[in-house]
Amino acid sequence: MSKQVKNIYEFGPFCLNPSEHTLLREGRPIPIRPKMFDILLVLIENHGHLVDKEQLMTSVWTEQFVEEGNLNKNISMLRRVLGEGNNGQKFIETVPKRGFRFVADVRQLNDFGEPDLVSGGRASTPVVSGEDEASGFQEAHDPESTLPAAHIRTLHFSKKWLGIVVIGLLFVAVLVYVTSLRESRTSVTPAITSIVVLPLQNLSGDPAQEYFVDGMTDALIGDLAQIGALRVISRTSAMHYKGTNKSLPEIARELNVDAVVEGTVQRAGDRVHVRAQLIHAATDSHLWAADYDRDLRDVLDLQAEVAGAIASEVRIKITPAERSLLVPKRVISRDAIDNYLQGRYFWNRRTEHDLRQAVVYFENAIKADPNYAQAYAGLADSYNQLGTAMIGGLPSSEARQTAEIAARKALEIDNEVAEAHVALGYVDFFNWNWAIAEAEFKRALELNPNYAFAHSQYALYLVARGRIDEALAEINRAQELDPLSLTMSMTRGYILQNARRYEESIDQLRRVIALDPNHYGAHWFLGMAYVANHQFEEAVAASEKAVALSGRAPAALGVLGLAYGLAGRKRDANRVLSELLQLQKQRYVTLMALCYVNIGLGNKDQAFAWLEKAYQERSNHLAFFKVSPTVDSLRSDPRFADLLRRIGLDSESR
């Protein structure tokens, strides 16, 4: 009985070993996900021939549901691994609407590295007698049959020792290979200290599932962000690359990261299938890939499992506390998860209409599962944003009161939800509970060091307290984590304004507007910065733009009235004041808007009257009065010092 020969396939600089399930390039192992390896093997085994898509999918996948998009995605990644296009290389040919063909030259070797005699490698043709040839029966002559018996015994003896030597050499070779493979994994795998999770692709075939897929991306970013030793780019910046044609190395350079996570999500009813892979950005090489199939109720386990696998692969040290955060504490109902993800989808859009939609979804999530801590945190975040002067959807004190109830409920259920600590810190900040607010912000950053929003909110707290250098360090860190976020850039501009670095503030806000000429908040803050820098005509122009973009929001009108008054346009300022008083009869108007217009008009007593009402309401802007240049004209009045004392801003006590 002849020995069965296992083939190894050689093509270009590559070597594919099916028995070892390895792909080598010039002798060095290349990380490749299992499905990609299986696809490559099927194509190579049929090299030169068309393999239709159906055959490939049935050969490689055994899952109940799989779509053509999965195959195309893996083929694309496989081409990237093989370096197609570099120096004109071509390995896999696409036959439109039919399938794929492996077109590179393939050489088959046996497991000794010799040409394969079984599968058509170069071999001598056996000698066949004419009678045998005529009968159609071919048998190669045995060369030993023509040798004397003594020579035959010597030959068998030599073969015996030759076999022992070959086996010994093979053992040594295998040992050296395994050792080198282990060394290559520890030495070749590059150090990774920063990462971006690109928007996962929706393979469900249903555009209505985009919120779910974006939510999965957001959750994976959130889980990884809890690892302090790893810098994780925030959601806002990651989402800029949704549907991009940019290469991974290009994206990595723009975000200054070492590695990229990309993948797909396929939802079918209550089942979720996720494929994720980790890619070293500079070399565009695959380090890890895995497939997950879960019930929707187990989606939190899935996210934590993926995050843990990635952290393990990049060999980042995870503290015991961080590891505990990657383990979901309970199963959440399907309806609750679904509503929560939709809530976060709308919360991230940050208009008044979208925030009210988010409130509805978070409340539905809580109804579906009253012990879902993240849903309460989302509800708190939504109300806090509705109460800002920029949004102006609710009186700030009313909004914070509702937010506080939701945030405390979230922490009662799970005290390790970073978003809830930020929401509660925000409430205490603008309620002037200074020490408690700082403790909440710090706790949030302990739980999630990569939470850019937490860094930005803490930065605002620090500048309000007059701790300028610390505030700039925090907002700079927020920008490192979310480099493409215009909101972070705008917030930095506002902090620079309150640090009285006006030219820098103006430059920062102009950069935001250059990227988005219709950014209401940037124009609004720019108007304030120009006022502070005594550039009143420029302040008028910026504020008029903010008013137009916001649909004449009260906050924007207040700064416009201030600019008009300081520019000497008293009639225009009085017209704005009348408009605000009329609006107050129809909807909520932030009281600081009325104060600002009176400052512009020089009506100091009226300004203090509105300030007192703003104090009773605990208006957000009062928290910045220790440093805010927009109220400098009131600082010499004893009533202003008394106001600072009551707010708790009259000393450096922390």
Side-chain angles (χ1 to χ4, degrees):
M1 182 180 293
S2 63
K3 176 189 171 190
Q4 184 178 2
V5 179
K6 295 180 180 178
N7 290 323
I8 298 173
Y9 300 97
E10 216 178 56
F11 56 99
F14 298 96
C15 181
L16 188 81
N17 188 334
S19 61
E20 297 288 339
H21 216 75
T22 56
L23 176 66
L24 306 179
R25 181 188 178 97
E26 297 176 347
R28 299 176 76 107
I30 298 175
I32 182 171
R33 61 186 296 180
K35 297 299 184 189
M36 291 163 59
F37 185 95
D38 294 341
I39 291 171
L40 182 58
L41 180 58
V42 173
L43 290 173
I44 287 178
E45 287 176 339
N46 295 277
H47 65 89
H49 300 284
L50 171 68
V51 182
D52 65 48
K53 294 179 180 179
E54 185 65 28
Q55 179 185 345
L56 262 178
M57 288 190 285
T58 55
S59 298
V60 173
W61 277 278
T62 58
E63 292 95 337
Q64 286 187 338
F65 59 94
V66 62
E67 293 188 357
E68 187 178 307
N70 297 343
L71 174 62
N72 294 335
K73 178 71 173 177
N74 277 274
I75 290 286
S76 175
M77 293 187 295
L78 191 52
R79 284 174 166 149
R80 192 181 298 156
V81 169
L82 297 177
E84 279 204 3
N86 297 339
N87 302 319
Q89 291 183 109
K90 182 75 172 178
F91 295 98
I92 302 171
E93 178 183 81
T94 299
V95 180
K97 299 183 179 179
R98 296 187 61 192
F100 303 93
R101 180 185 292 113
F102 198 85
V103 295
D105 292 333
V106 177
R107 187 178 183 218
Q108 294 174 259
L109 308 175
N110 61 31
D111 51 5
F112 291 99
E114 300 168 340
D116 186 354
L117 303 181
V118 175
S119 55
R122 279 178 245 152
S124 58
T125 305
V127 179
V128 182
S129 68
E131 181 180 349
D132 290 337
E133 186 176 13
S135 66
F137 177 80
Q138 300 179 359
E139 180 178 339
H141 288 287
D142 185 351
E144 293 183 11
S145 64
T146 61
L147 295 176
H151 287 177
I152 292 172
R153 286 195 298 273
T154 302
L155 183 61
H156 280 293
F157 179 79
S158 300
K159 281 187 174 182
K160 176 181 177 182
W161 283 104
L162 179 61
I164 292 172
V165 171
V166 169
I167 291 171
L169 289 173
L170 182 61
F171 175 77
V172 172
V174 170
L175 185 62
V176 170
Y177 173 76
V178 170
T179 302
S180 66
L181 186 61
R182 287 175 178 169
E183 289 177 351
S184 70
R185 276 197 62 80
T186 57
S187 61
V188 175
T189 301
I192 293 173
T193 59
S194 54
I195 199 168
V196 60
V197 180
L198 293 182
L200 301 174
Q201 293 186 18
N202 178 14
L203 294 186
S204 303
D206 180 5
Q209 290 298 317
E210 283 299 315
Y211 79 89
F212 181 81
V213 178
D214 287 351
M216 292 288 291
T217 304
D218 203 9
L220 181 54
I221 291 171
D223 281 340
L224 285 170
Q226 295 173 121
I227 303 170
L230 190 65
R231 180 169 68 89
V232 182
I233 297 298
S234 289
R235 177 196 189 276
T236 310
S237 291
M239 283 296 172
H240 275 265
Y241 296 97
K242 189 168 185 175
T244 184
N245 292 321
K246 292 183 178 180
S247 67
L248 296 185
E250 187 178 1
I251 293 171
R253 284 193 299 272
E254 290 178 1
L255 296 176
N256 190 28
V257 294
D258 302 320
V260 174
V261 176
E262 63 175 5
T264 61
V265 177
Q266 186 173 10
R267 179 177 175 182
D270 291 331
R271 300 296 296 177
V272 181
H273 192 84
V274 174
R275 290 191 174 90
Q277 59 181 338
L278 176 68
I279 300 163
H280 181 240
T283 60
D284 208 5
S285 57
H286 290 66
L287 304 177
W288 166 87
D291 291 58
Y292 302 86
D293 189 62
R294 296 284 192 280
D295 187 281
L296 182 60
R297 291 174 302 179
D298 303 322
V299 73
L300 299 182
D301 285 294
L302 187 156
Q303 295 158 1
E305 188 176 345
V306 174
I310 292 170
S312 176
E313 187 64 30
V314 301
R315 300 200 302 278
I316 285 291
K317 183 178 180 181
I318 305 178
T319 67
E322 290 168 347
R323 190 171 297 281
S324 71
L325 294 175
L326 292 176
V327 180
K329 298 174 176 60
R330 56 187 297 273
V331 173
I332 307 297
S333 79
R334 297 186 185 102
D335 285 346
I337 290 174
D338 211 39
N339 278 287
Y340 172 77
L341 292 177
Q342 292 197 65
R344 278 298 177 192
Y345 176 81
F346 283 103
W347 182 80
N348 279 305
R349 296 168 69 168
R350 305 288 179 87
T351 68
E352 181 178 352
H353 173 75
D354 289 320
L355 287 168
R356 292 191 184 280
Q357 285 287 99
V359 166
V360 172
Y361 281 115
F362 288 133
E363 287 176 341
N364 287 340
I366 291 167
K367 288 176 185 175
D369 192 331
N371 291 310
Y372 192 7
Q374 290 283 359
Y376 285 103
L379 188 63
D381 280 340
S382 299
Y383 274 105
N384 275 336
Q385 290 300 307
L386 281 169
T388 61
M390 190 181 300
I391 301 294
L394 290 171
S396 53
S397 57
E398 178 186 327
R400 287 198 302 272
Q401 184 177 10
T402 307
E404 180 177 6
I405 293 170
R408 291 195 183 282
K409 181 61 177 179
L411 295 174
E412 178 186 316
I413 297 167
D414 183 353
N415 195 43
E416 294 181 334
V417 177
E419 294 88 342
H421 282 286
V422 173
L424 195 55
Y426 181 98
V427 168
D428 284 311
F429 171 19
F430 291 109
N431 280 341
W432 315 325
N433 299 322
W434 303 106
I436 297 173
E438 182 164 22
E440 291 294 346
F441 288 135
K442 286 184 173 180
R443 178 57 179 152
L445 290 169
E446 286 175 6
L447 292 168
N448 190 338
N450 288 288
Y451 192 12
F453 184 67
H455 284 284
S456 71
Q457 298 306 292
Y458 187 33
L460 288 170
Y461 167 90
L462 289 167
V463 78
R465 300 291 285 161
R467 293 155 61 181
I468 305 299
D469 291 341
E470 292 175 78
L472 288 171
E474 285 297 322
I475 194 60
N476 289 344
R477 178 59 175 165
Q479 282 199 293
E480 287 176 11
L481 295 168
D482 208 350
L484 302 182
S485 169
L486 297 184
T487 298
M488 294 301 166
S489 293
M490 178 192 70
T491 302
R492 188 172 188 273
Y494 181 63
I495 288 171
L496 286 166
Q497 177 200 138
N498 284 289
R500 298 179 182 265
R501 291 161 62 168
Y502 305 132
E503 295 295 338
E504 291 177 66
S505 173
I506 290 166
D507 287 344
Q508 178 83 37
L509 294 166
R510 279 175 170 171
R511 285 197 293 272
V512 175
I513 293 167
L515 292 170
D516 181 3
N518 295 321
H519 197 292
Y520 155 49
H523 285 285
W524 184 50
F525 282 139
L526 183 61
M528 291 185 189
Y530 279 132
V531 164
N533 206 35
H534 294 193
Q535 294 176 255
F536 300 127
E537 291 302 325
E538 291 87 347
V540 167
S543 299
E544 285 178 338
K545 184 68 172 177
V547 167
L549 290 171
S550 67
R552 307 193 73 77
L557 285 168
V559 176
L560 177 60
L562 172 67
Y564 277 149
L566 294 175
R569 296 170 60 173
K570 304 295 185 181
R571 181 177 297 177
D572 289 328
N574 276 304
R575 179 173 47 80
V576 169
L577 182 60
S578 296
E579 182 177 353
L580 285 170
L581 291 171
Q582 280 299 116
L583 274 175
Q584 199 177 31
K585 298 174 183 178
Q586 305 164 24
R587 54 160 295 175
Y588 170 71
V589 169
T590 176
L591 300 178
M592 280 307 303
L594 292 157
C595 174
Y596 282 151
V597 180
N598 278 286
I599 289 175
L601 288 167
N603 299 333
K604 187 176 287 190
D605 289 341
Q606 283 296 313
F608 272 108
W610 286 112
L611 274 182
E612 188 59 34
K613 292 179 180 179
Y615 171 81
Q616 299 299 327
E617 186 184 87
R618 291 180 180 258
S619 177
N620 285 15
H621 275 229
L622 295 181
F624 297 97
F625 270 23
K626 182 183 180 72
V627 293
S628 175
T630 53
V631 291
D632 278 355
S633 62
L634 304 181
R635 290 188 184 278
S636 60
D637 193 296
R639 290 173 290 184
F640 192 83
D642 179 62
L643 181 65
L644 288 184
R645 179 189 58 76
R646 287 183 285 156
I647 295 172
L649 291 172
D650 59 333
S651 71
E652 294 296 330
S653 61
R654 299 179 183 180

